Each structure stands twice: as C-alpha cells, then as structure tokens.
Coordinates of all heavy atoms in Angstrom, one line a residue:
A1 N -6.2 -4.8 3.2 CA -5.9 -3.9 4.2 C -4.7 -3.0 3.8 O -3.5 -3.4 4.0 CB -5.5 -4.7 5.5
T2 N -5.0 -1.9 3.3 CA -4.0 -0.9 2.9 C -4.4 0.5 3.3 O -5.5 0.7 3.9 CB -3.7 -0.9 1.4 OG1 -4.9 -0.4 0.7 CG2 -3.4 -2.3 0.9
D3 N -3.6 1.5 2.9 CA -4.1 2.9 3.2 C -5.4 3.3 2.5 O -6.1 4.2 3.0 CB -3.0 3.9 2.6 CG -1.7 3.8 3.4 OD1 -1.7 3.2 4.5 OD2 -0.6 4.2 2.9
M4 N -5.8 2.6 1.5 CA -7.0 2.9 0.8 C -8.2 2.5 1.6 O -9.3 3.1 1.5 CB -7.1 2.1 -0.6 CG -6.3 2.8 -1.7 SD -6.7 2.1 -3.3 CE -5.8 3.1 -4.4
T5 N -8.1 1.5 2.4 CA -9.2 1.0 3.2 C -9.2 1.3 4.7 O -10.1 1.1 5.4 CB -9.3 -0.6 3.1 OG1 -8.1 -1.2 3.6 CG2 -9.5 -1.0 1.6
V6 N -8.0 1.9 5.2 CA -7.9 2.1 6.6 C -8.9 3.1 7.1 O -9.3 3.1 8.3 CB -6.5 2.7 6.9 CG1 -6.2 4.0 6.3 CG2 -6.2 2.6 8.4
D7 N -9.4 4.0 6.3 CA -10.4 5.0 6.7 C -11.8 4.6 6.5 O -12.7 5.5 6.7 CB -10.1 6.4 6.0 CG -8.8 7.0 6.5 OD1 -8.4 6.8 7.7 OD2 -8.1 7.7 5.7
W8 N -12.0 3.4 6.0 CA -13.4 3.0 5.8 C -14.1 3.0 7.2 O -13.6 2.7 8.2 CB -13.5 1.6 5.3 CG -13.2 1.4 3.8 CD1 -12.8 2.4 3.0 CD2 -13.3 0.2 3.1 NE1 -12.7 1.9 1.7 CE2 -13.0 0.6 1.7 CE3 -13.6 -1.1 3.3 CZ2 -12.9 -0.3 0.7 CZ3 -13.6 -2.0 2.3 CH2 -13.3 -1.6 1.0
P9 N -15.4 3.4 7.3 CA -16.2 3.2 8.5 C -16.1 1.8 9.1 O -16.1 0.8 8.3 CB -17.6 3.6 8.1 CG -17.4 4.4 6.8 CD -16.2 3.9 6.1
E10 N -16.0 1.7 10.4 CA -15.9 0.4 11.0 C -17.0 -0.5 10.6 O -16.8 -1.7 10.4 CB -15.9 0.6 12.5 CG -15.4 -0.7 13.2 CD -14.0 -1.2 12.8 OE1 -13.2 -0.3 12.5 OE2 -13.8 -2.4 12.8
A11 N -18.2 0.0 10.5 CA -19.4 -0.8 10.1 C -19.2 -1.4 8.7 O -19.6 -2.6 8.4 CB -20.7 0.0 10.1
T12 N -18.6 -0.6 7.8 CA -18.3 -1.1 6.5 C -17.3 -2.2 6.5 O -17.4 -3.2 5.8 CB -17.8 0.1 5.6 OG1 -18.8 1.1 5.5 CG2 -17.4 -0.4 4.2
K13 N -16.2 -2.0 7.2 CA -15.1 -3.0 7.4 C -15.7 -4.4 7.9 O -15.4 -5.4 7.4 CB -14.0 -2.6 8.3 CG -13.2 -1.4 7.8 CD -12.1 -1.0 8.7 CE -11.3 0.2 8.3 NZ -10.3 0.6 9.4
V14 N -16.6 -4.3 8.9 CA -17.2 -5.4 9.5 C -18.1 -6.2 8.4 O -18.0 -7.4 8.2 CB -18.0 -5.1 10.7 CG1 -18.8 -6.3 11.2 CG2 -17.1 -4.6 11.8
A15 N -18.9 -5.4 7.8 CA -19.8 -5.9 6.8 C -19.1 -6.6 5.6 O -19.4 -7.7 5.2 CB -20.8 -4.8 6.2
V16 N -18.0 -6.0 5.2 CA -17.2 -6.5 4.1 C -16.5 -7.8 4.5 O -16.5 -8.8 3.8 CB -16.2 -5.5 3.5 CG1 -15.2 -6.1 2.6 CG2 -16.9 -4.3 2.8
T17 N -15.9 -7.7 5.7 CA -15.2 -8.9 6.2 C -16.1 -10.1 6.3 O -15.8 -11.2 6.1 CB -14.5 -8.6 7.5 OG1 -13.6 -7.5 7.3 CG2 -13.7 -9.8 8.1
N18 N -17.3 -9.8 6.9 CA -18.3 -10.9 7.0 C -18.7 -11.5 5.8 O -19.2 -12.7 5.7 CB -19.5 -10.4 7.8 CG -19.2 -10.1 9.3 OD1 -18.2 -10.6 9.8 ND2 -20.0 -9.3 9.9
S19 N -18.6 -10.8 4.6 CA -19.0 -11.4 3.3 C -17.9 -12.2 2.6 O -18.1 -12.8 1.6 CB -19.4 -10.2 2.4 OG -18.3 -9.4 2.1
I20 N -16.7 -12.2 3.2 CA -15.6 -12.9 2.7 C -15.5 -14.3 3.2 O -15.4 -14.5 4.5 CB -14.3 -12.2 2.9 CG1 -14.3 -10.8 2.3 CG2 -13.1 -13.0 2.3 CD1 -13.1 -9.9 2.6
P21 N -15.6 -15.4 2.4 CA -15.6 -16.7 2.9 C -14.4 -17.0 3.8 O -14.5 -17.8 4.8 CB -15.6 -17.6 1.7 CG -16.4 -16.8 0.7 CD -16.0 -15.4 1.0
L22 N -13.2 -16.5 3.5 CA -12.0 -16.8 4.3 C -12.0 -15.9 5.6 O -11.1 -16.0 6.4 CB -10.8 -16.5 3.5 CG -10.4 -17.6 2.5 CD1 -9.1 -17.3 1.8 CD2 -10.4 -19.0 3.1
G23 N -13.0 -15.0 5.8 CA -13.2 -14.4 7.0 C -12.3 -13.2 7.4 O -12.2 -12.8 8.6
R24 N -11.6 -12.7 6.4 CA -10.7 -11.6 6.7 C -10.4 -10.8 5.4 O -10.7 -11.3 4.3 CB -9.4 -12.1 7.2 CG -8.5 -12.9 6.3 CD -7.2 -13.3 6.9 NE -6.5 -14.2 6.0 CZ -5.7 -13.8 4.9 NH1 -5.6 -12.6 4.7 NH2 -5.1 -14.7 4.2
M25 N -9.8 -9.6 5.6 CA -9.3 -8.9 4.4 C -8.0 -9.4 4.0 O -7.3 -10.0 4.8 CB -9.3 -7.4 4.7 CG -10.6 -6.8 5.0 SD -10.6 -5.0 5.5 CE -10.1 -4.2 4.0
G26 N -7.6 -9.2 2.8 CA -6.3 -9.6 2.3 C -5.2 -8.7 2.7 O -5.4 -7.6 3.2
T27 N -4.0 -9.1 2.4 CA -2.8 -8.2 2.6 C -2.2 -7.8 1.3 O -2.3 -8.5 0.3 CB -1.8 -8.9 3.5 OG1 -1.2 -10.0 2.8 CG2 -2.5 -9.5 4.8
A28 N -1.4 -6.7 1.4 CA -0.7 -6.3 0.2 C 0.3 -7.3 -0.2 O 0.5 -7.5 -1.4 CB 0.0 -4.9 0.5
E29 N 0.9 -8.0 0.7 CA 1.9 -9.0 0.4 C 1.3 -10.2 -0.4 O 1.9 -10.7 -1.3 CB 2.6 -9.5 1.7 CG 3.5 -8.5 2.4 CD 2.7 -7.4 3.1 OE1 1.5 -7.5 3.4 OE2 3.3 -6.3 3.2
E30 N 0.0 -10.5 0.0 CA -0.6 -11.6 -0.7 C -0.9 -11.2 -2.2 O -0.7 -12.1 -3.1 CB -2.0 -12.0 -0.1 CG -1.7 -12.7 1.3 CD -3.0 -12.9 2.0 OE1 -3.8 -12.0 2.1 OE2 -3.1 -14.0 2.6
V31 N -1.2 -10.0 -2.5 CA -1.4 -9.5 -3.8 C -0.1 -9.5 -4.5 O 0.0 -9.9 -5.7 CB -2.1 -8.1 -3.8 CG1 -2.3 -7.7 -5.3 CG2 -3.4 -8.1 -3.1
A32 N 1.0 -9.1 -3.9 CA 2.3 -9.0 -4.5 C 2.8 -10.4 -4.9 O 3.4 -10.5 -6.0 CB 3.3 -8.4 -3.5
E33 N 2.5 -11.4 -4.1 CA 2.9 -12.8 -4.5 C 2.2 -13.2 -5.8 O 2.8 -13.9 -6.7 CB 2.5 -13.7 -3.4 CG 3.4 -13.5 -2.1 CD 4.8 -14.1 -2.3 OE1 5.1 -14.7 -3.4 OE2 5.6 -14.1 -1.3
A34 N 0.9 -12.8 -6.0 CA 0.2 -13.2 -7.2 C 0.8 -12.5 -8.4 O 0.9 -13.0 -9.5 CB -1.2 -12.9 -7.0

C-alpha cells in the first residue's frame, strides 16, 4: 500500500488482496524492516 498502488482500480485491489494468504496488502514499514 503505497503511492504506486493507490490509483489501482478498486476491482484490481480486491482481486489482488483476495489472492494473498494473509488477506491484505503489505505496508512500506514492513518492507523497511526487512
């Protein structure tokens, strides 16, 4: 969930989120920790 994905069509966001086992998009802070 960053500026790169904020403008994705809502249907795309829903489809992508539903395909993620943890059930949500990640955060920039989680990537930063890695």
Side-chain angles (χ1 to χ4, degrees):
T2 66
D3 291 343
M4 279 190 177
T5 59
V6 69
D7 292 328
W8 282 6
E10 192 59 33
T12 299
K13 293 180 183 178
V14 171
V16 168
T17 300
N18 288 341
S19 69
I20 299 173
L22 286 182
R24 64 175 177 85
M25 296 175 71
T27 68
E29 289 73 23
E30 288 172 317
V31 179
E33 289 284 359

